[in-house]
Amino acid sequence: MQNTIHTSLGIELGSTRIKAVLTDEHYRCVAQGEYGWENRFQDGIWTYSLDDAWEGLRTAVARLFASVKEPVTVDVMGLSGMMHGYLVFDRDDHLLVPFRTWRNTVTGRASLALTELFHENIPQRWSIAHLYQAVLQEEAHVKDIHFLTSLAGHIHRRLTGRAVIGIGEASGMFPIDYKALDYRQSALEQFDDLIA
């Protein structure tokens, strides 16, 4: 009888591929699977379909497990993705606008204003720049926003029911307090005052 291999499953939603990798306790690759995908330019915005993200995730993981040759157990799973961009949902968890990716450079006005406000460089690709640009442009969906997240944050929330992201992921969304390992409270207050 074969021993079961204890593994870790890593999933990355990259800009051209969704990858799944299974490693053993010695960090050796046991199996892997992938799925190619591309962003598309739609209505002046670079976007990925969330349906494509789910199809890619299912396909990459299925290909990974199809190549496993020995009994395995998955003890832990990690998820990473494009840390920037704009995914907003309403109270009923409906996506309000198509996913605006890191590739978009349409938030120049917001980026400059927030860089000045926070005394920290806020790149155009950051989630907060996308949010503030939508506010500045008085986009109709803004009034309905209940939840803002990244792509990895969205996938994690749907898989686990928990709305959490890692500090690395968070650092592409909003200024971070690296001692508290959380969003910078003073910047949150400044932003609240700005949009009040």
Side-chain angles (χ1 to χ4, degrees), residues 19-40:
K19 299 171 280 290
V21 178
L22 206 57
T23 57
D24 68 15
E25 350 176 71
H26 304 290
Y27 310 107
R28 293 180 296 226
C29 181
V30 173
Q32 57 189 1
E34 67 178 52
Y35 176 87
W37 72 331
E38 288 291 335
N39 56 167
R40 58 182 160 270

Side-chain angles (χ1 to χ4, degrees), residues 29-188:
C29 181
V30 173
Q32 57 189 1
E34 67 178 52
Y35 176 87
W37 72 331
E38 288 291 335
N39 56 167
R40 58 182 160 270
F41 196 64
Q42 178 181 318
D43 299 325
I45 295 291
W46 287 103
T47 187
Y48 291 88
S49 159
L50 293 186
D51 289 340
D52 288 350
W54 287 107
E55 177 63 25
L57 182 63
R58 282 189 296 271
T59 301
V61 171
R63 287 175 177 165
L64 175 147
F65 281 110
S67 69
V68 172
K69 297 180 177 28
E70 304 169 74
V72 299
T73 181
V74 176
D75 298 321
V76 66
M77 184 176 105
L79 178 68
S80 69
M82 292 167 272
M83 62 195 277
H84 312 296
Y86 186 69
L87 274 167
V88 287
F89 298 86
D90 66 14
R91 290 192 177 279
D92 296 319
D93 211 25
H94 296 119
L95 183 65
L96 292 170
V97 293
F99 173 32
R100 297 175 182 178
T101 77
W102 57 272
R103 190 173 179 187
N104 289 291
T105 54
V106 295
T107 63
R109 189 169 148 213
S111 174
L112 288 173
L114 294 174
T115 293
E116 185 176 318
L117 178 68
F118 298 145
H119 302 289
E120 177 178 335
N121 183 39
I122 305 299
Q124 288 197 50
R125 64 185 175 271
W126 277 27
S127 303
I128 192 62
H130 282 277
L131 174 59
Y132 189 47
Q133 190 69 39
V135 170
L136 291 173
Q137 293 174 182
E138 299 181 2
E139 294 185 35
H141 76 274
V142 171
K143 69 184 182 333
D144 298 318
I145 295 173
H146 177 67
F147 191 82
L148 164 67
T149 191
S150 66
L151 180 59
H154 167 67
I155 299 292
H156 183 278
R157 186 167 63 109
R158 289 286 168 89
L159 290 175
T160 68
R162 296 179 60 220
V164 296
I165 59 174
I167 195 70
E169 188 85 10
S171 70
M173 297 184 70
F174 193 85
I176 295 295
D177 177 336
Y178 289 99
K179 289 183 181 170
L181 297 178
D182 204 345
Y183 295 122
R184 201 168 75 215
Q185 187 60 41
S186 61
L188 288 168

